[in-house]
């Protein structure tokens, strides 16, 4: 029962009263505790001149599972001399961003921890690939993790919707799937579209019919969102919308919000879905329209999926759109798959260029969204790693959001038409430390239902990052002085000091077990694994994730909309 | 034991859950007798062979230079030899995920070069993945959607006896099947013989599928190209290990045909590969360090050299001074070499060791027979759970590698 006192830091903790005050933080048994100023402590760390924040939480980052490993196999040239456990533990002097496009799991865990992040969530776990995803996440050292399982292009859901099966049956199927795959949430990617592509359909608008099953994305979205609401899953439906990357897709994005009819949902990498068709190039920012809709719909949260200039790779479940974009591949190679009547994946390497009109506009759109949405609790800071750029660019992104002069300097370097015309140049807002803390910790914790993460009140997990308040925000957020995971110091000035195994966060919503006979009947005909072997037990999850701890996140069935 | 009153013959205790680990299809619907490891005569011959190789008591315990040793002594000797060399080679890699994780850890501790079992075939597929990518599909997709399946270059039945069954079971109407440059051993499969070499056939087929007009097209290939273009969903199947030293080139052509077809219709590839845990080891190494096998896991860098780091070549050219062989499946024969060897293998490997004067042999249990675990299926997407049928008293490969890693990390 050792007690640790972090003394005299400025505590930035917007989830609790008194954020920004200078005070001590106590830690015992991996938890934050109230510590009387005179109470003895076994260890005291002077945090004078430092900011003390909860550990960062990345709610959308492709860190593990089939398509991530395919990306590594596709791109050996992006691996650098830093991938071994030994080498990764030191923050490299000259940071080569390409090294973090598709790092191995070891490097992923170390780099996140070195930046003060203590949790990361994989947003696209294919049911058939769930064991693999948990294996990879288990091999990401230090970080807590979890995943959103993909439904919405699985043949079973589409069939049942087409056959008009009762909603309760579909709801229980969702509940079963979340339990069986040990998922934290539910993701839908191009609703119905991944399946439609298997039937050779190349486009699917929100109100268009799947050519075979005759259901629409609108119906799929509403059905899944309603299912999660009734099951009481804290994280709302995680939506990768229709028509990713297509000029004018703001229409489908607004239609998606409309389809939800007020049900809660999280629209991910929304930057890629906020495009208009104005101007000479028929490609324009629709950030204003998007922001207006988000401001008006309190049921909607977003993460941005900011793009960063340079080499990266896009890894997505959206085979339909990835195949359409494959001719942009740089370097010229890509990989894809149709998966188990469940889903699909497409991996296309890409280089975002400052002098490309399209890329420059994408960059500006992302920043406009960050800066124009009023409620920071509904905006999460992401680059959709690695799709918009590697997660190691977060400190740079934070500086862009906090420092208008710096932002305008960068704006001046990109394609001149964008620099001259973008609404970005007139936006004066600079995000505050509280707002950054919300978008990178407190907000995602709340959106995921992680009651004891993302804040520093007594009882919370002692996931803490201590940043020296000096220099610009980019350098400050790159290398914290100290990082603690469950009370253990894991990084000190950029060096890894301990490498505990992170825990898995998942939900276990109640559902009617009667669904299993229907699932088995379907699976016996259409599956390739015995139904009895699909579900992951707690013991098996432990084997997969190296027994770093299982955190069952509470569900509240019938919860309010 | 009273020999005059034998216990009543026990009813066979059929395993309720079993995943067959003996080929990359990982069928999970057979029920062996957990005590005898027996399967009915009608069951898959490869599964029967795999189990019967493990049915007797382990043929050998640990041995150091041919003399029986207990596990602890053998491990201590192995650690001492590992500590004494400059460039160890870990070869034959394959096993469940736990073994691969432990292998990576050991490799990182000693700076080993690592190669897969069947590394030459692995590298043919890898080269295409690295140079151009591809579009594949998984087993359930084949069964659900394929209306034309083309087997390119080999007929896989001997190595994956239930492949056709798994493509077609439960379907009202199975896909049309064509063997290109392979002799089919099943009914109802047409065969298109290669024009000359398989590469020439694929070149021509690729051109025909792309709609190019050729001066003297082979009529059979012309028909096949038409059928591929007319299919709703065509699947091309190949076995990298059967395509020879230029397999990579052939796989590239196959993937080019898939890409062309996907411009107007649907198609995908289905490689049959990664047996004996090779695919699993390769996946785990890739996710841990970022780079696949045929890599040196050094302290400060991982160096990936798909051509140079072939185990047979390294041994032959003297570029390694110790071979650590690690594979827990029966019937896998370790490389023979006068170099110091540490062989972690199924007990039947003992009979293949030859001169043991410089060899430490530690028999290990087989995943999916003696203990639980996970293996990747041939499509690389589905990670199948393995179940234990019965214990044989031998340690899992992961445990042996883990103990060696611990010893080497401590000594470093
Ligand atoms: S086909 Fe392969 S996996 Fe299936 S039973 Fe036979 S050997 Fe085992
Ligand atoms: Zn994403």
């Amino acid at each position: 029962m050792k007690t640790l006192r972090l003394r005299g830091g400025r505590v930035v903790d917007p989830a609790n009263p008194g954020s920004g005050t200078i005070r001590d933080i106590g830690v015992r048994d991996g938890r934050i505790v109230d510590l009387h100023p005179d109470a003895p402590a076994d260890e005291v760390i002077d945090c004078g001149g430092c900011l003390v924040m909860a550990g960062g939480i990345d709610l959308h980052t492709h860190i593990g599972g089939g398509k991530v490993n395919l990306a590594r196999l596709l791109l050996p040239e992006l691996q650098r001399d830093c991938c071994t456990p030994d080498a990764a533990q030191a923050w490299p002097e000259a940071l080569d961003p390409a090294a973090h496009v598709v790092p191995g799991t070891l490097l992923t865990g170390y780099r996140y921890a070195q930046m003060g992040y203590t949790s990361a969530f994989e947003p696209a776990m294919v049911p058939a690939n769930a064991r693999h995803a948990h294996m990879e996440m288990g091999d990401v050292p230090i970080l807590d993790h979890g995943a959103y399982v993909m439904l919405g292009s699985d043949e079973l859901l589409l069939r049942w919707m087409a056959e008009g099966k009762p909603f309760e049956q579909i709801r229980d199927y969702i509940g079963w799937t979340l339990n069986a795959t040990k998922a934290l949430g539910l993701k839908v990617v191009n609703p119905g579209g991944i399946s439609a592509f298997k039937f050779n359909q190349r486009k699917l608008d929100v109100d268009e019919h799947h050519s075979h099953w005759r259901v629409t994305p609108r119906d799929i979205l509403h059905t899944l969102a309603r299912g999660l609401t009734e099951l009481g899953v804290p994280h709302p439906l995680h939506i990768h919308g229709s028509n990713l990357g297509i000029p004018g897709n703001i229409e489908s994005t607004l239609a998606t919000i409309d389809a939800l009819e007020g049900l809660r949902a999280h629209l991910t990498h929304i930057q890629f879905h906020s495009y208009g068709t104005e101007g000479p190039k028929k490609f324009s920012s629709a950030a204003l329209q998007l922001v207006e809709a988000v401001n008006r719909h309190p049921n909607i949260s977003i993460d941005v999926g900011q793009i960063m200039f340079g080499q990266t790779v896009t890894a997505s479940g959206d085979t339909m759109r990835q195949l359409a974009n494959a001719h942009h591949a740089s370097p010229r190679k890509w990989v894809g798959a149709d998966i188990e009547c469940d889903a699909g994946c497409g991996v296309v390497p890409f280089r975002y260029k400052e002098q490309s009109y399209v890329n420059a506009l994408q960059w500006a759109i992302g920043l406009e969204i960050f800066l124009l949405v009023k409620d920071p609790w509904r905006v999460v800071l992401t680059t959709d790693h690695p799709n918009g750029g590697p997660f190691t660019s977060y400190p740079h992104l934070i500086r862009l959001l906090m420092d208008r002069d710096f932002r305008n300097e960068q704006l001046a370097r990109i394609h001149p038409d964008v620099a001259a015309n973008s609404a970005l140049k007139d936006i004066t807002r600079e995000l505050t430390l509280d707002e950054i803390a919300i978008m990178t910790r407190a907000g995602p914790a709340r959106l995921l239902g992680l009651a004891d993460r993302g804040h520093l009140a007594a009882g919370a997990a002692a996931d803490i990052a201590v940043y020296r308040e000096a220099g610009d925000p980019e350098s400050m957020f790159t290398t914290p002085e100290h990082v603690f995971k469950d009370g253990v110091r894991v990084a000190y000035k950029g060096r890894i000091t301990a490498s505990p195994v992170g825990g898995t966060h998942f939900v276990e919503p109640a559902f009617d077990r009667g669904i299993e006979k229907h699932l088995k009947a379907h699976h016996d005909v259409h599956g390739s694994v015995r139904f009895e072997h699909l579900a992951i037990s707690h013991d098996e999850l432990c084997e997969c994730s190296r027994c770093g701890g299982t955190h069952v996140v509470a569900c509240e069935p019938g919860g309010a909309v | 034991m009273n020999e005059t009153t034998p216990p009543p013959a026990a009813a066979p205790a059929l395993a309720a859950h079993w995943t067959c680990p003996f080929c990359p299809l990982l069928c999970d619907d057979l029920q062996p007798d957990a005590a005898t490891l027996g399967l009915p005569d009608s069951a898959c011959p490869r599964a029967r062979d795999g189990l019967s190789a493990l049915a007797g008591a382990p043929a050998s315990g640990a041995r150091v230079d041919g003399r029986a040793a207990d596990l602890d002594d053998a491990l201590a000797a192995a650690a001492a030899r590992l500590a004494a060399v400059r460039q160890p080679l870990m070869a034959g890699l394959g096993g469940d995920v736990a073994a691969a994780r432990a292998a990576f850890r050991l490799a990182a501790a000693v700076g080993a070069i690592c190669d897969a079992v069947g590394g030459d075939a692995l590298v043919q597929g890898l080269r295409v993945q690295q140079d151009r990518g591809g579009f594949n599909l998984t087993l359930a997709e084949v069964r659900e959607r394929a209306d034309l399946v083309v087997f390119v270059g080999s007929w896989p039945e001997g190595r994956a006896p239930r492949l056709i069954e798994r493509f077609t079971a439960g379907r009202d109407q199975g896909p049309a099947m064509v063997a290109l440059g392979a002799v089919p051993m099943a009914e109802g499969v047409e065969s298109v013989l290669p024009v000359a070499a398989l590469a020439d056939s694929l070149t021509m087929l690729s051109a025909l599928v792309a709609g190019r007009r050729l001066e003297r097209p082979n009529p059979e290939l012309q028909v096949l190209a038409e059928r591929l273009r007319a299919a709703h969903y065509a699947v091309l199947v190949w076995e990298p290990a059967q395509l020879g030293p230029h397999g990579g080139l052939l796989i590239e052509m196959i993937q080019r045909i898939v890409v062309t077809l996907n411009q107007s219709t649907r198609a995908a590839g289905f490689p049959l590969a990664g047996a004996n845990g090779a695919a699993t080891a390769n996946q785990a190494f890739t996710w841990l360090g970022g780079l696949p096998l045929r890599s040196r896991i050094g302290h400060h860098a991982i160096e990936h050299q798909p051509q140079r780091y072939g185990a047979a070549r390294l041994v032959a050219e003297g570029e390694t001074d110790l071979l650590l062989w690690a594979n827990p499946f029966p019937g896998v024969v370790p490389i023979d070499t006068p170099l110091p060897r540490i062989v972690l293998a199924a007990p039947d490997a003992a009979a293949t060791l030859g001169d043991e004067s410089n060899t430490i042999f530690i028999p290990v249990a087989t995943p999916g027979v003696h203990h639980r675990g996970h293996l990747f299926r041939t499509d690389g997407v589905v990670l199948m759970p393995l179940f234990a049928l019965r214990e044989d008293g031998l340690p899992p490969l992961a445990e042996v590698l883990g103990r060696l890693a611990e010893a080497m990390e401590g000594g470093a």
Side-chain angles (χ1 to χ4, degrees):
Chain A
M1 281 238 299
K2 277 178 54 169
T3 305
L4 167 70
R5 179 189 296 278
L6 302 179
R7 191 170 61 200
R10 184 144 74 95
V11 177
V12 179
D13 184 22
N16 293 301
S19 181
T21 54
I22 290 180
R23 60 186 177 93
D24 295 359
I25 294 281
V27 174
R28 192 183 301 133
D29 289 337
R31 296 270 146 186
I32 311 267
V33 291
D34 283 326
L35 209 56
H36 189 276
D38 302 327
D42 301 287
E43 192 186 355
V44 178
I45 293 179
D46 180 17
C47 294
C50 292
L51 303 176
V52 180
M53 298 169 93
I57 298 173
D58 196 338
L59 125 168
H60 188 113
T61 173
H62 298 273
I63 53 168
K67 66 188 167 347
V68 184
N69 228 25
L70 277 176
R72 296 185 188 108
L73 285 167
L74 183 71
L75 294 159
E77 62 269 43
L78 294 189
Q79 304 300 336
R80 293 293 191 272
D81 294 350
C82 53
C83 325
T84 64
D86 266 17
Q89 292 184 21
W91 187 264
E93 305 261 307
L95 196 62
D96 180 348
H100 302 110
V101 169
V102 268
T105 55
L106 297 171
L107 189 61
T108 301
Y110 294 138
R111 287 292 178 266
Y112 263 115
Q114 284 161 325
M115 294 197 314
Y117 273 71
T118 49
S119 304
F121 294 92
E122 161 60 48
M125 176 168 75
V126 174
N129 188 243
R131 289 182 168 94
H132 176 190
H134 285 296
M135 288 279 185
E136 286 205 24
M137 290 190 288
D139 278 331
V140 173
I142 302 171
L143 304 185
D144 274 7
H145 46 80
Y148 321 138
V149 67
M150 279 164 68
L151 286 182
S153 274
D154 53 305
E155 303 297 310
L156 178 56
L157 177 87
L158 300 175
R159 175 188 291 273
W160 281 359
M161 287 181 65
E163 291 171 355
K165 287 282 190 294
F167 166 75
E168 293 68 30
Q169 185 169 329
I170 291 172
R171 179 199 60 202
D172 289 333
Y173 167 42
I174 298 170
W176 181 89
T177 304
L178 289 164
N179 274 275
T181 59
K182 296 288 172 281
L184 179 61
L186 186 69
K187 166 103 173 282
V188 59
V189 174
N190 185 352
I194 306 168
S195 164
F197 178 61
K198 294 172 183 175
F199 293 89
N200 203 24
Q201 195 171 352
R202 304 294 166 132
K203 184 175 120 328
L204 188 60
D205 281 325
V206 177
D207 288 302
E208 199 172 345
H209 281 103
H210 182 298
S211 64
H212 180 77
W213 294 113
R214 314 304 301 167
V215 296
T216 62
R218 179 180 292 272
D219 288 342
I220 296 169
L221 289 161
H222 191 267
T223 302
L224 293 177
R226 184 176 161 211
L228 286 178
T229 303
E230 293 204 3
L231 292 165
V233 175
H235 187 48
L237 181 62
H238 200 93
I239 301 173
H240 158 144
S242 313
N243 292 322
L244 179 139
I246 298 179
N249 63 12
I250 184 66
E251 295 305 330
S252 26
T253 303
L254 298 178
T256 296
I257 294 175
D258 185 60
L260 293 161
E261 297 177 0
L263 292 166
R264 289 178 66 220
H266 180 87
L267 305 185
T268 190
H269 43 68
I270 196 68
Q271 176 276 131
F272 290 107
H273 303 268
S274 303
Y275 305 150
T277 51
E278 285 160 26
K281 299 204 165 68
K282 302 270 181 264
F283 181 68
S284 58
S285 169
L288 284 173
Q289 276 167 279
L290 183 273
V291 164
E292 196 268 331
V294 172
N295 285 341
R296 212 156 31 84
H297 289 87
N299 57 315
I300 299 296
S301 57
I302 58 171
D303 66 81
V304 172
Q306 177 68 31
I307 71 139
M308 291 300 189
F309 299 112
Q311 177 70 53
T312 195
V313 60
T314 63
S316 165
D318 193 343
T319 38
M320 180 188 272
R321 295 303 311 145
Q322 290 293 72
L323 192 97
N325 286 325
H327 62 281
H328 292 304
S330 170
R332 292 183 59 83
K333 53 184 177 180
W334 63 280
V335 36
D338 286 330
I339 298 174
E340 284 298 274
C341 304
D342 255 359
C345 80
V347 177
V348 182
F350 195 80
R351 178 177 281 278
Y352 294 104
K353 301 189 188 80
E354 289 176 336
Q355 292 311 315
S356 147
Y357 176 81
V358 170
N359 299 163
L361 195 63
Q362 290 177 304
W363 179 85
I365 291 169
L367 295 175
E368 287 166 19
I369 294 170
F370 270 118
L371 295 165
L372 293 174
V373 173
K374 288 198 186 110
D375 179 4
W377 289 96
R378 294 194 282 124
V379 185
V380 179
L381 186 140
T382 67
T383 55
D384 188 16
H385 163 82
N387 294 330
F391 65 84
T392 43
S393 54
Y394 287 175
H396 178 82
L397 175 55
I398 290 172
R399 186 173 183 195
L400 288 169
L401 298 172
M402 293 187 74
D403 180 344
R404 184 181 182 217
D405 291 341
F406 178 68
R407 184 161 73 227
N408 283 344
E409 274 169 36
Q410 304 305 309
L411 183 60
R413 292 169 44 170
I414 65 174
H415 191 284
D417 292 350
V418 176
N421 300 323
S422 163
L424 189 61
K425 66 180 188 311
D426 302 317
I427 300 177
T428 55
R429 185 173 173 195
E430 294 181 330
L431 296 188
T432 64
L433 278 172
D434 263 348
E435 287 169 329
I436 293 295
I438 291 168
M439 291 182 182
T440 56
R441 308 77 176 127
R446 200 173 274 186
L447 287 169
L448 294 171
L450 310 179
D452 63 349
R453 311 272 155 171
H455 68 94
L456 298 172
D463 293 354
I464 307 168
V466 179
Y467 301 96
R468 179 149 304 279
E469 223 176 335
D472 61 71
E474 180 170 349
S475 60
M476 181 174 86
F477 280 106
T478 299
T479 316
E481 288 275 298
H482 311 277
V483 182
F484 299 88
K485 177 74 182 61
D486 295 310
V488 174
R489 187 162 72 176
V490 292
Y492 173 61
K493 293 189 180 186
R495 270 205 80 82
I496 297 296
T497 50
S499 186
V501 182
T504 310
H505 296 259
F506 56 97
V507 290
E508 293 188 320
F511 65 97
D512 181 351
R513 291 267 166 201
I515 193 67
E516 291 183 343
K517 63 177 184 296
H518 299 292
L519 295 173
K520 181 170 160 47
H522 173 85
H523 214 79
D524 286 349
V525 180
H526 300 280
S528 69
V529 177
R530 265 178 69 188
F531 176 73
E532 295 77 10
H533 298 161
L534 290 176
I536 303 171
S537 67
H538 276 220
D539 283 351
E540 193 184 358
L541 178 67
C542 179
E543 274 171 52
C544 292
S545 59
R546 297 196 300 143
C547 300
T550 47
H551 306 288
V552 180
V553 176
C555 293
E556 284 181 46
V561 169
Chain B
M1 183 74 73
N2 185 341
E3 288 185 12
T4 55
T5 53
L14 297 187
H17 302 283
W18 189 55
T19 301
C20 171
F22 297 116
C23 98
L25 292 180
L26 303 177
C27 306
D28 67 342
D29 56 349
L30 300 182
Q31 295 194 299
D33 181 324
T36 63
L37 303 187
L39 274 172
D41 289 347
S42 57
C44 171
R46 199 177 173 92
R48 287 164 46 84
D49 287 352
L51 286 174
S52 68
L54 299 165
S60 170
R63 305 208 295 238
V64 175
D65 298 338
R67 285 184 304 278
D70 71 17
L71 178 62
D72 290 347
D73 292 342
L75 280 168
R81 283 184 199 178
L82 272 171
V85 298
R86 280 181 308 117
Q87 183 50 71
L89 165 67
M90 287 171 65
L93 284 177
D96 59 354
V97 173
R101 282 169 160 172
F104 185 91
R105 200 179 137 201
L106 175 59
V110 301
I113 296 173
C114 297
D115 191 13
V117 65
D120 288 339
L122 182 93
V123 100
Q124 297 298 333
L126 196 57
R127 209 194 90 188
V128 183
Q129 280 180 306
Q130 296 179 334
D131 289 353
R132 69 169 290 134
F135 196 101
N136 292 345
L137 84 178
T138 67
L139 201 48
E141 291 286 347
V142 181
R143 194 180 66 168
E144 183 78 8
R145 253 171 267 287
D147 54 354
L148 174 62
V149 177
V150 182
F151 297 86
V152 183
S154 64
W155 186 254
E157 204 167 320
R159 290 160 298 273
R162 298 178 64 196
L163 182 66
I164 305 296
E165 176 194 339
R166 303 216 50 197
F167 278 2
T168 57
R171 273 183 68 159
D172 298 338
Q173 197 187 350
M177 290 191 267
V178 177
L180 171 60
V183 182
M185 297 186 292
E187 277 176 38
V189 181
E190 299 156 55
S191 143
V192 175
L193 290 175
V195 181
L198 186 55
D200 295 336
S201 294
L202 286 171
T203 307
M204 185 176 281
L205 184 63
S206 174
L208 291 168
V209 163
R212 277 201 291 279
R213 238 173 296 195
L214 303 180
E215 267 185 32
R216 272 189 307 280
N218 173 290
E220 277 187 303
L221 289 176
Q222 206 162 18
V223 171
L224 181 56
E226 282 312 315
R227 292 178 66 182
L228 284 166
R229 281 154 59 109
H232 291 294
Y233 204 123
V235 174
L236 284 78
V237 179
W238 67 93
E239 295 177 278
Q242 304 303 314
L243 293 178
H246 301 295
L249 209 66
L250 304 178
I251 299 168
E252 207 172 316
M253 291 181 189
I254 294 170
Q255 287 291 4
R256 189 174 306 147
I257 292 169
V258 168
V259 167
T260 306
L261 288 170
N262 272 327
Q263 285 165 14
S264 52
T265 171
R266 288 308 326 274
F270 188 88
L272 193 63
N276 294 317
T280 303
N282 195 51
Q283 289 257 18
F285 269 67
T286 304
W287 80 56
L288 283 162
L291 286 162
L293 282 170
R294 295 236 165 146
S295 290
R296 181 177 184 278
I297 316 295
H299 288 292
H300 299 291
I302 295 179
E303 194 196 347
H304 177 54
Q305 296 274 4
Q307 300 306 325
R308 259 189 69 200
Y309 286 166
R313 200 198 70 83
L314 292 167
V315 167
E317 312 271 313
E319 291 181 32
T320 172
D321 45 6
L322 180 146
L323 169 69
L324 188 153
W325 181 269
N327 194 295
F329 293 100
V332 179
V333 179
I335 295 179
D336 196 9
T337 169
L339 286 174
R341 275 188 306 179
I342 300 166
V343 177
L344 317 177
D348 69 340
T352 70
L353 292 174
D355 178 3
E356 279 188 67
S357 58
N358 211 350
T359 297
I360 296 169
F361 175 67
I362 300 178
V364 295
T366 299
V369 178
H370 305 122
H371 62 84
R372 296 161 52 82
H374 292 88
L375 277 180
F376 277 96
R377 206 169 66 184
T378 189
D379 46 47
V381 171
V382 176
L383 181 63
M384 289 295 296
L386 305 179
F387 304 89
L389 292 174
R390 68 172 204 205
E391 290 194 5
D392 67 347
L394 297 175
L397 177 57
E399 184 186 320
V400 175
L401 289 167
R403 287 184 62 183
L404 279 175
E406 218 163 277
M408 302 317 293
E409 283 164 353

